[in-house]
Amino acid sequence: METVDDPQPLWTEEPVGTPRMPDPVRNAAVRAVISVSVTLVATMVAVLGALARAWMAAPSVLLAIACTIAATWAVLDVWVTRQVWNQRHGVLSSPSSAARRLRRERRRARRAGRARARRTGRTARPEARRDLLFRA
């Protein structure tokens, strides 16, 4: 028998181009796919039943309509779940360096203006006070 000192792994993990969907979003997507597939089957039964003039055509049309509403709801659930996930867990977005630099400069200028106003005992913008007095 041969012994191998350095066994080869069964598989190697390669980085994926897109990150994996979060679990709640993936669950909602699976529900939506199943719902849409059931809707397609129900619609085909309704169409074929109507073409064959079978007694099942009317109930299957009603079922297809109900399934369409449920499938629409399931697809909207995927969208809402994705939005909620992004809002709660945050999607990291990095603005361009130029936008970040401009925002940083404006923030520094505002802070400096407020600090100057505190030192002199005046508000940073006297016209803002005037706007408050003459607003009708």
Side-chain angles (χ1 to χ4, degrees), residues 6-7 12-14 27 42 50-51 59-60 63 72 76 81 85 87 90-91 103-105 116-117 120-121:
D6 190 19
T12 58
E13 300 222 5
E14 297 177 3
N27 292 342
L51 289 175
S60 61
L63 178 68
T72 305
L76 282 175
T81 306
W85 176 268
Q87 191 173 23
V91 175
R103 206 169 47 237
R104 189 180 306 131
E105 289 172 4
R116 203 174 322 113
T120 61

Side-chain angles (χ1 to χ4, degrees), residues 57-84:
S60 61
V61 167
L62 295 176
L63 178 68
I65 291 171
C67 284
T68 303
I69 293 169
T72 305
W73 187 268
V75 171
L76 282 175
D77 181 43
V78 173
W79 182 66
V80 169
T81 306
R82 184 172 174 270
Q83 295 297 325
V84 168

